[in-house]
């Protein structure tokens, strides 16, 4: 079990639950980071007593420094601060729970220092999965999934000695708040409609991604990178109840699944205790009390984001960074009231058609593709 972590994105949905799990398991948290929520970060610092606290926003860092003047917690800011937290001497692992591709550089820096990664920040693997997985292999560090579907698959793969025996991975998807709706209806959906997720309480960006089904598209790419499998070996099934978190089908047609209440504290905990298990705060599942489990195919016509993500996965190279950059920008615009719900797939599609993908990209190629995709999606 991991004993000492840095937590990037401490004030978010995954970050707050990670603190809860770490406290139950007795794991030390040496660094906490946030974008700008000084009040919550101060409260967390007083509770957790890290060595380092980081605000991305320099003004917020300054006010945190004043608030924490009576403690010996060091306060840093910006990308440099995030990297300082990710590479802090003495920590064994970094929990990456920031939202978006901003997590890429700190993740690579942490791997370079030999830290294991408990990865919630899927955008990093979508943009630069090959670079990240290669760096982890070279350094001999583990990339442990926190995303519930990928944790379920990871759990179902324990004991599998030969990845060639895996016929396919089956990712479950709740379908989000707009399951069953048609394109014309989706055009009129508002921010508050999109933020009403049926089963999970998460940050705003991933909740909108769940409503467009882009979240499942990003997760297909995340699974390809984590488990080194081609697109054809990853399928998606709608499972409205979010009790089965994903499945692995083996070559003998056995299907293994992981079940549980929709509760992120379990996958967060498994990433930290793996290969062991420990009693923890996640809710137990009452099989006799739970709803009937249902399955349906995804609707890629009315929810085009899933097929756009598969298209980017097929193109490869920087195409997945283009997909992600355009999506982050479009979702940000939707949340700020600057575009409609169905403008999200339209803008992503425009970026995929306009920005040229580069194969076998370097980090610079990926950062450039991301920047160009963001500019293209903004202008759409
Ligand atoms: P959130 O919006 O609740 O929290 C995001 C955290 O990142 C906050 O601490 C915020 O301060 C920080 N942050 C945001 N923008 C930043 C920036 N530009 N620079 C530095 N820090 C920044 O998000 P969340 O729901 O906790 O999701 C975090 C990550 O985990 C995402 O990649 C998401 O896809 C993934 N994830 C979340 C869930 C979930 O249940 N919430 C499940 C699976 C995967
Ligand atoms: Mg997920």
């Amino acid at each position: 079990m991991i004993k000492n972590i840095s937590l990037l994105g401490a004030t978010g949905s995954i970050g707050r639950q990670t603190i809860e799990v770490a406290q139950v398991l007795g794991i030390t948290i040496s660094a906490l980071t946030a974008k700008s929520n000084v009040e919550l970060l101060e409260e967390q610092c007083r509770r957790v007593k890290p060595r380092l606290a980081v605000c991305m926003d320099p003004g917020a860092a300054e006010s945190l420094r004043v608030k924490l003047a009576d403690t010996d917690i060091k306060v840093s800011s910006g990308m440099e601060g995030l990297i300082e937290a990710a590479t802090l001497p003495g920590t064994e692992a970094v929990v990456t729970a920031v939202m978006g591709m901003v997590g890429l550089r700190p993740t690579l820096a942490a791997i370079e220092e030999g830290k294991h990664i408990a990865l919630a920040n899927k955008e990093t693997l979508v943009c630069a999965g090959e670079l990240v997985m290669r760096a982890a292999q070279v350094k001999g560090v583990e990339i442990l999934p926190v995303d519930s579907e990928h944790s379920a698959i990871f759990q179902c793969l324990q004991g599998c000695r030969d990845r060639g025996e895996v016929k396919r991975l089956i990712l479950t998807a709740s379908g989000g708040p707009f399951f069953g709706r048609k394109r014309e209806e989706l055009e009129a959906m508002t921010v508050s409609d999109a933020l009403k997720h049926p089963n999970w309480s998460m940050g705003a960006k991933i909740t909108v991604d769940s409503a467009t089904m882009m979240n499942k598209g990003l997760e297909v790419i995340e699974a390809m990178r984590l488990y080194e499998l081609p697109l054809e070996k990853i399928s998606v099934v709608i499972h409205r109840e979010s009790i089965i978190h994903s499945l692995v089908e083996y070559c003998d047609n056995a299907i293994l699944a992981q079940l549980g209440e929709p509760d992120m504290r379990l996958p967060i905990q498994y990433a930290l205790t793996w290969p062991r298990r420990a009693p923890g705060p996640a809710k137990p599942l009452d099989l006799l009390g739970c709803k009937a489990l249902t399955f349906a195919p995804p609707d890629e016509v009315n929810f085009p984001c899933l097929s756009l993500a598969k298209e980017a996965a097929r193109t490869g190279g920087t195409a997945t960074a283009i997909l992600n950059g355009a999506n982050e920008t479009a979702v940000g615009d939707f949340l700020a009231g600057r575009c409609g719900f169905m403008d999200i797939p339209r803008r992503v599609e425009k970026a995929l058609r306009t920005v040229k993908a580069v194969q076998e990209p370097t980090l610079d190629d990926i950062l450039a593709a991301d920047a160009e995709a963001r500019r293209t999606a903004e202008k759409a």
Side-chain angles (χ1 to χ4, degrees):
M1 190 173 101
I2 285 160
K3 293 268 187 276
N4 195 320
I5 60 171
S6 284
L7 173 55
L8 311 186
T11 54
S13 160
I14 295 289
R16 294 190 305 268
Q17 296 179 83
T18 301
I19 293 178
E20 191 188 338
V21 167
Q23 293 197 320
V24 171
L25 298 178
I27 295 171
T28 304
I29 306 179
S30 295
L32 294 175
T33 85
K35 185 177 183 188
S36 56
N37 186 345
V38 175
E39 283 68 32
L40 180 55
L41 190 56
E42 182 200 359
E43 186 270 309
Q44 291 180 331
C45 283
R46 293 195 182 278
R47 208 153 28 99
V48 169
K49 301 186 175 52
R51 282 188 277 147
L52 174 68
V54 179
C55 280
M56 189 67 180
D57 179 67
E62 202 37 60
S63 87
L64 184 68
R65 205 168 281 127
V66 173
K67 284 176 187 291
L68 292 178
D70 62 320
T71 70
D72 51 14
I73 300 170
K74 181 180 177 197
V75 177
S76 298
S77 70
M79 180 52 78
E80 267 170 43
L82 232 56
I83 292 176
E84 186 183 355
T87 56
L88 202 65
T91 59
E92 284 166 84
V94 178
V95 179
T96 61
V98 294
M99 188 283 285
M101 130 97 162
V102 70
L104 174 57
R105 287 177 54 206
T107 304
L108 286 172
I111 294 171
E112 207 47 48
E113 288 303 310
K115 319 275 188 203
H116 300 300
I117 307 292
L119 184 130
N121 177 228
K122 66 188 85 183
E123 293 89 350
T124 281
L125 270 200
V126 169
C127 292
E130 279 137 338
L131 278 188
V132 169
M133 297 307 291
R134 207 178 311 133
Q137 213 165 28
V138 169
K139 287 283 166 183
V141 306
E142 302 289 344
I143 308 290
L144 300 154
V146 168
D147 211 348
S148 57
E149 296 76 2
H150 305 75
S151 174
I153 289 165
F154 185 53
Q155 294 178 57
C156 296
L157 285 173
Q158 298 299 310
C160 168
R161 294 206 177 89
D162 176 0
R163 206 48 70 71
E165 292 171 358
V166 172
K167 189 151 108 186
R168 62 178 177 142
L169 308 181
I170 305 167
L171 295 176
T172 53
S174 72
F178 304 149
F179 176 72
R181 303 271 193 150
K182 298 285 170 252
R183 241 184 142 109
E184 307 72 62
E185 297 172 272
L186 292 173
E187 295 281 359
M189 292 302 151
T190 64
V191 171
S192 82
D193 296 329
L195 290 181
K196 286 187 199 114
H197 196 283
N199 305 338
W200 297 95
S201 158
M202 311 180 283
K205 191 262 179 181
I206 184 176
T207 307
V208 173
D209 284 345
S210 300
T212 61
M213 293 290 289
M214 181 59 94
N215 185 48
K216 215 45 57 179
L218 300 177
E219 289 184 354
V220 167
I221 300 167
E222 185 185 8
M224 289 170 66
R225 301 297 176 247
L226 278 171
Y227 303 113
E228 293 178 80
L229 289 170
L231 184 61
E232 309 76 67
K233 287 199 170 190
I234 299 170
S235 48
V236 172
V237 65
I238 302 287
H239 167 53
R240 295 289 287 156
E241 299 78 25
S242 299
I243 296 293
I244 298 183
H245 297 306
S246 280
L247 315 90
V248 176
E249 183 172 21
Y250 284 92
C251 55
D252 58 359
N253 293 333
I255 293 184
L256 302 196
Q258 187 253 326
L259 285 71
E261 284 287 338
D263 185 335
M264 287 307 295
R265 292 172 299 184
L266 177 61
I268 293 168
Q269 167 167 328
Y270 191 67
L272 299 173
T273 63
W274 175 84
R276 304 291 303 271
R277 291 183 183 268
K283 289 191 284 286
L285 172 64
D286 173 12
L287 276 179
L288 298 180
C290 85
K291 291 179 244 171
L293 306 182
T294 63
F295 305 96
D299 171 359
E300 293 186 35
V301 175
N302 292 295
F303 294 84
C305 284
L306 180 54
S307 54
L308 289 170
K310 289 186 190 167
E311 177 190 323
R314 241 174 256 118
T315 307
T318 52
T320 54
I322 295 166
L323 173 95
N324 180 74
N327 183 60
E328 282 192 32
T329 304
V331 172
D333 280 349
F334 172 68
L335 284 169
R338 290 193 290 267
C339 75
F341 184 72
M342 289 307 279
D343 289 327
I344 300 171
R346 274 194 284 273
R347 287 172 181 216
V348 171
E349 182 168 7
K350 181 172 178 220
L352 279 178
R353 303 275 177 270
T354 317
V355 184
K356 200 172 156 9
V358 175
Q359 296 299 323
E360 310 215 351
T362 61
L363 180 58
D364 285 345
D365 293 331
I366 290 166
L367 296 173
D370 171 72
E372 199 183 340
R374 284 171 196 264
R375 281 194 299 275
T376 309
E378 255 165 27
K379 279 187 278 176

